[in-house]
């Protein structure tokens, strides 16, 4: 479904990622592991069109998308849920969700249905639908960020560190929801530092280290890989 | 519901006041100043859309105001065009120039955008000042006609001009209200919030920014056109940077990014500066520090401060109600005995 072929991205003279290859099949959950600054977020930015690749290709459903504008990429079905629960803090929860459906703005009926679906997935958002997004707790904000990404009806969702700064119990819930979204037919590419939880739901993973992929394999392989265990699981 | 009714009555009250105001005062100077203030308000609404809602502070606003005014002046005085045709053409000319300048200016951001537009504004002023053949240079344009009448309506008298300009002001407020409360308005706010985030939602940011830039020049142009046929004389001064900063001051004092801000700020500053007329330019010694204090303590101006106060009051009320309910229900009172003793050691 999504294929990165020898992708490199630089900021000026600094190379953020160097010829990486990633393959995501339809219906999978794939996880990108790596510490801060390893290049996970840059990879996401390149896929969603915010950064132009210096070298290499990004193929989505067999077509090259690296020259498309971010808006067109969202329209074609790739939606990013950015790190750090970026929301519109002054807008209400429901307004945030409606903004998420921007590319479907002409289809009011579909938007209503999507909102209903998001509220079913996250009942707490329904209770707080009139509240300003900035007044929600960390976990609720992350739910809203995921919900807003869902509003665009993605075929592929890019989730950048959904567990960052959340309590363990909330993290567990978050991963359950991610799994549920995946079962409903959305392919998911996940960037995480929480390797244990992420590999628990993913089918395969890539380990990033200073801009390149150093290890890759199925979840079982990575969980039993000594270097991965040492670096990310701490056992 | 009560709040909505309340707001509705406040708004209709103000409109009514504006309508009967000319009958409350016999002073034609007051009416003249108020009419001028209405014109400034229209321009400030344009600035508010761009700087307040979209987060792009344009300092070329007086330039577009002047483009509108001069377009009307040249088309009526030199070309001899029918008034309302010239009126429409002037707005179109302003928008087209706005579109062209926006295409380049919007490639910059934040401070750079402000500095770039500052330069553009100054260039517009210079062109008007130096292009003698077209604009009359420093001598300006004299004898711009008042708006032509429709049938029995004529706009010869200051009173009828007052109503005409009030009509355009109300139209402006209504348009801005509709824009801000539509998806486009939320899109602009999303861009102000974070352009990158807006892009990840699939918003074509350049297209939207260009739209709001042109809209803001439209309001600046409209204000300029009305100014030209109200004062009936224009000089290059109306495109000078000080006008931009006046407009910006009205917006900041009233409340940037609020709907009522332009009206409140303009009225207040115009009124205060009229009453301090005897101090001449030393007025600025009072304005400067006041403005600085306002920006530090109330960055969203008077209207913003008012809303903050309202939200805080509501929150306090809510908390009090919550505490009261809890007290009745489950909070242990002083007399009640704790269930378990605290284990020590």
């Amino acid at each position: 479904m999504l294929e990165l072929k020898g992708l490199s991205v630089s900021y000026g003279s600094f190379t953020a990622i160097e010829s990486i290859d990633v393959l995501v099949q339809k219906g999978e959950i794939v996880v990108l592991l790596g510490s801060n600054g390893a290049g996970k977020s840059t990879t996401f930015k390149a896929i969603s069109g915010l950064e132009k690749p210096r070298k290499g290709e990004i193929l989505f459903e067999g077509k090259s998308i690296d020259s498309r504008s971010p808006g067109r990429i969202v329209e074609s079905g790739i939606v990013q849920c950015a790190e750090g629960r970026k929301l519109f803090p002054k807008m209400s929860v429901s307004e945030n969700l409606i903004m998420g459906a921007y590319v479907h703005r002409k289809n009011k009926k579909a938007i209503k249905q999507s909102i209903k679906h998001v509220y079913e997935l996250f009942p707490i958002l329904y209770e707080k639908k009139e509240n300003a997004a900035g007044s929600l707790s960390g976990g609720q904000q992350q739910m809203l960020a995921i919900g807003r990404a869902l509003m665009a009806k993605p075929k592929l969702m890019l989730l950048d560190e959904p567990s960052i700064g959340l309590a363990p119990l909330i993290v567990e819930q978050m991963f359950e929801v991610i799994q549920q979204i995946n079962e409903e037919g959305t392919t998911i590419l996940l960037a995480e530092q929480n390797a244990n939880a992420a590999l628990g739901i993913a089918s395969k993973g890539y380990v990033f280290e200073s801009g390149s992929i150093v290890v890759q394999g199925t979840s079982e392989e990575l969980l039993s890989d000594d270097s991965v265990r040492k670096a990310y699981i701490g056992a | 519901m009560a709040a909505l009714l309340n707001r509705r009555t406040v708004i209709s009250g103000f409109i009514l006041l504006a309508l009967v105001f000319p009958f409350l005062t016999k002073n034609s100077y007051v009416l003249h100043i108020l009419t001028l203030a209405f014109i400034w308000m229209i321009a400030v609404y344009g600035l508010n859309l761009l700087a307040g809602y979209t987060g792009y502070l344009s300092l070329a606003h007086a330039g577009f105001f002047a483009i509108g005014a001069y377009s009307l002046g040249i088309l009526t005085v030199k070309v001899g065009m029918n008034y309302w045709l010239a009126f429409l053409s002037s707005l179109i000319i302003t928008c087209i120039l706005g579109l062209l300048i926006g295409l380049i200016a919007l490639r910059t951001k934040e401070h750079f955008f402000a500095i770039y537009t500052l330069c553009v504004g100054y260039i517009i002023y210079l062109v008007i000042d130096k292009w003698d053949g077209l604009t009359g240079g420093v001598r300006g344009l004299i004898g711009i006609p008042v708006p032509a009448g429709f049938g029995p309506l004529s706009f010869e008298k200051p009173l009828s001009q007052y109503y005409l300009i009030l009509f355009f002001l109300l139209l402006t407020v209504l348009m801005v209200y509709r824009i801000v409360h539509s998806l486009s308005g939320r899109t602009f706010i999303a861009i102000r919030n974070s352009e990158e985030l807006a892009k990840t939602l699939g918003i074509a940011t350049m297209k939207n920014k260009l739209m709001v830039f042109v809209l803001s020049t439209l309001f600046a142009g409209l204000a300029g056109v009305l100014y030209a046929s109200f004062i009936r004389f224009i000089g290059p001064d109306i495109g000078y940077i000080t006008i931009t900063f006046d407009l910006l001051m009205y917006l900041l004092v009233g409340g940037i990014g609020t709907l009522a801000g332009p009206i409140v700020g303009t009225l207040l500053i115009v009124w205060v500066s009229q009453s301090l007329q005897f101090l001449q330019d030393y007025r600025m010694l009072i304005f400067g520090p006041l403005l600085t204090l306002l920006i530090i303590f109330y960055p969203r101006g008077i209207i913003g401060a008012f809303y903050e106060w309202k939200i805080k009051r509501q929150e306090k009320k809510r908390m009090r109600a919550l505490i009261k309910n809890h007290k009745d229900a489950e909070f242990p009172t002083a007399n009640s005995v704790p269930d378990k003793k605290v284990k020590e050691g």
Side-chain angles (χ1 to χ4, degrees):
Chain A
M1 186 178 212
L2 179 82
E3 199 175 357
L4 311 182
K5 281 185 183 167
L7 186 73
S8 301
V9 177
S10 336
Y11 300 109
S13 60
F14 170 72
T15 305
I17 48 177
E18 183 68 52
S19 63
I20 57 164
D21 298 286
V22 172
L23 181 67
V24 181
Q25 304 281 9
K26 194 169 165 39
E28 270 188 320
I29 298 182
V30 175
V31 59
L32 308 180
L33 293 171
S35 53
N36 293 332
K40 306 184 302 288
S41 297
T42 306
T43 309
F44 277 11
K45 279 186 181 171
I47 297 171
S48 45
L50 295 171
E51 295 291 341
K52 294 288 164 233
R54 182 168 54 88
K55 265 197 327 227
E57 239 188 331
I58 305 169
L59 298 172
F60 181 60
E61 295 180 321
K63 282 179 219 139
S64 166
I65 58 165
D66 44 58
S67 58
R68 288 188 198 172
S69 71
R72 295 287 311 280
I73 290 173
V74 175
E75 274 167 33
S76 61
I78 302 181
V79 176
Q80 179 174 355
C81 177
E83 188 191 342
R85 315 160 204 139
K86 278 196 191 158
L87 299 168
F88 302 118
K90 293 260 167 79
M91 289 188 205
S92 70
V93 167
S94 60
E95 280 174 334
N96 263 281
L97 289 176
I98 290 169
M99 286 310 292
Y102 186 83
V103 289
H104 303 297
R105 59 190 176 281
K106 301 229 165 68
N107 192 346
K108 296 253 160 66
K109 218 167 145 193
I111 292 179
K112 253 190 201 151
Q113 261 173 359
S114 314
I115 285 204
K116 218 175 122 196
H117 179 229
V118 171
Y119 286 154
E120 278 165 12
L121 214 50
F122 303 108
I124 185 76
L125 294 184
Y126 181 73
E127 277 170 42
K128 306 223 162 193
K129 63 182 175 176
E130 299 302 332
N131 293 32
S135 71
L136 302 183
S137 75
Q140 291 161 358
Q141 290 193 10
Q142 185 61 56
M143 290 175 197
L144 180 53
I146 294 178
R148 190 182 54 193
L150 274 180
M151 291 295 293
K153 300 199 170 177
K155 293 177 194 155
L156 170 68
M157 193 193 273
L158 310 176
L159 275 166
D160 200 351
E161 307 219 14
S163 76
I164 199 163
L166 296 182
L169 193 68
I170 309 285
V171 172
E172 212 172 287
Q173 285 175 9
M174 209 60 74
F175 278 99
E176 271 168 25
V177 170
I178 292 169
Q179 212 163 9
Q180 192 185 339
I181 293 169
N182 177 248
E183 278 159 13
E184 284 169 9
T186 309
T187 310
I188 287 173
L189 182 59
L190 185 68
E192 260 302 337
Q193 303 203 33
N194 187 340
N196 224 355
L199 288 172
I201 61 167
S203 55
K204 68 176 179 186
Y206 295 84
V207 179
F208 278 64
E209 233 173 77
S210 50
S212 336
I213 293 172
V214 286
V215 185
Q216 67 182 77
T218 63
S219 298
E220 292 78 32
E221 285 167 0
L222 290 180
L223 278 170
S224 56
D225 187 301
D226 276 347
S227 61
V228 174
R229 290 181 69 90
K230 263 193 197 125
Y232 300 103
I233 299 171
Chain B
M1 195 62 202
L4 191 79
L5 272 174
N6 201 356
R7 208 167 92 191
R8 203 171 277 171
T9 38
V10 167
I11 293 172
S12 14
F14 269 109
I15 295 176
L16 209 67
L17 183 69
L19 284 175
V20 301
F21 186 79
F23 301 103
L24 299 178
T25 174
K26 288 277 167 285
N27 189 337
S28 64
Y29 180 68
V30 172
L31 204 64
H32 179 89
I33 293 296
L34 195 61
T35 314
L36 257 183
F38 287 171
I39 293 175
W40 297 131
M41 283 173 201
I42 294 173
V44 176
Y45 269 107
L47 191 61
N48 196 18
L49 265 185
L50 186 60
Y53 288 100
T54 321
Y56 275 73
L57 174 61
S58 165
L59 297 177
H61 214 60
F64 291 108
F65 178 84
I67 289 175
Y70 267 92
S71 303
L72 184 88
I74 292 166
L75 288 178
T76 51
V77 174
K78 297 212 163 176
V79 182
M81 201 184 259
N82 166 290
Y83 180 84
W84 289 105
L85 194 63
F87 186 96
L88 259 182
S89 319
S90 306
L91 295 184
I92 293 169
I93 289 170
T94 316
C95 285
I96 289 173
L97 285 172
L99 181 75
L100 295 177
I101 291 169
L103 267 174
I104 305 167
L106 288 167
R107 298 186 170 270
T108 60
K109 266 180 202 171
E110 294 158 12
H111 310 72
F112 304 101
F113 179 80
I115 294 167
Y116 184 86
T117 48
L118 183 73
C119 299
V120 169
Y122 196 68
I123 291 171
I124 294 173
Y125 162 76
L126 280 181
V127 168
I128 291 171
D129 192 58
K130 303 298 175 208
W131 195 347
D132 244 16
L134 186 71
T135 63
V138 283
R139 282 170 289 116
L141 285 173
I142 307 174
I144 299 162
V146 294
F150 292 111
L153 279 175
S154 86
F155 302 108
E156 300 277 342
K157 286 191 191 134
L159 185 67
S160 46
Q161 288 228 4
Y162 171 88
Y163 284 116
L164 179 72
I165 289 166
L166 179 63
F167 165 76
F168 278 112
L169 174 64
L170 292 177
L171 193 71
T172 303
V173 177
L174 185 71
M175 268 178 78
V176 173
Y177 177 86
R178 292 300 298 264
I179 291 169
V180 168
H181 286 88
S182 70
L183 184 69
S184 306
R186 280 203 294 274
T187 308
F188 300 153
I189 295 172
I191 292 173
R192 177 185 72 192
N193 231 299
S194 159
E195 220 166 317
E196 188 160 279
L197 180 57
K199 272 188 198 162
T200 62
L201 298 182
I203 294 170
T205 51
M206 189 66 189
K207 212 171 81 188
N208 277 286
K209 285 187 305 190
L210 204 57
M211 192 159 86
V212 72
F213 191 88
V214 171
L215 264 173
S216 98
T217 60
L218 171 72
F219 289 122
L222 175 64
V225 166
L226 292 171
Y227 179 91
S229 51
F230 177 62
I231 302 291
R232 308 189 57 189
F233 160 79
I234 46 176
D237 282 358
I238 60 167
Y240 201 61
I241 303 299
T242 45
I243 301 281
T244 299
F245 284 113
D246 278 348
L247 297 176
L248 187 59
M249 181 164 69
Y250 301 157
L251 182 58
L252 287 175
V253 169
I256 192 165
T258 62
L259 263 173
I263 293 182
V264 172
T266 312
L267 276 182
L268 188 73
I269 299 282
V270 167
W271 176 63
V272 171
S273 68
Q274 285 296 324
S275 356
L276 296 179
Q277 203 67 275
F278 65 93
L279 290 172
Q280 294 165 354
D281 273 354
Y282 295 109
R283 277 179 296 181
M284 295 305 151
L285 283 179
I286 299 176
F287 277 150
L290 271 182
L291 196 62
T292 317
L293 289 175
L294 189 88
I295 299 289
I296 292 172
F297 293 106
Y298 300 107
R300 305 236 307 153
I302 293 169
I303 296 294
F306 172 72
Y307 278 125
E308 240 166 61
W309 171 78
K310 221 165 120 182
I311 287 172
K312 256 187 205 153
R313 208 184 55 161
Q314 270 171 4
E315 190 66 12
K316 252 188 207 159
K317 237 186 215 169
R318 209 176 58 90
M319 287 304 276
R320 225 176 279 149
L322 213 67
I323 288 169
K324 205 176 153 208
N325 286 345
H326 268 283
K327 254 191 199 147
D328 296 344
E330 53 201 76
F331 266 70
T333 54
N335 307 338
S336 65
V337 187
D339 292 346
K340 288 178 194 162
K341 278 188 180 165
V342 180
K343 278 184 198 163
E344 279 173 291

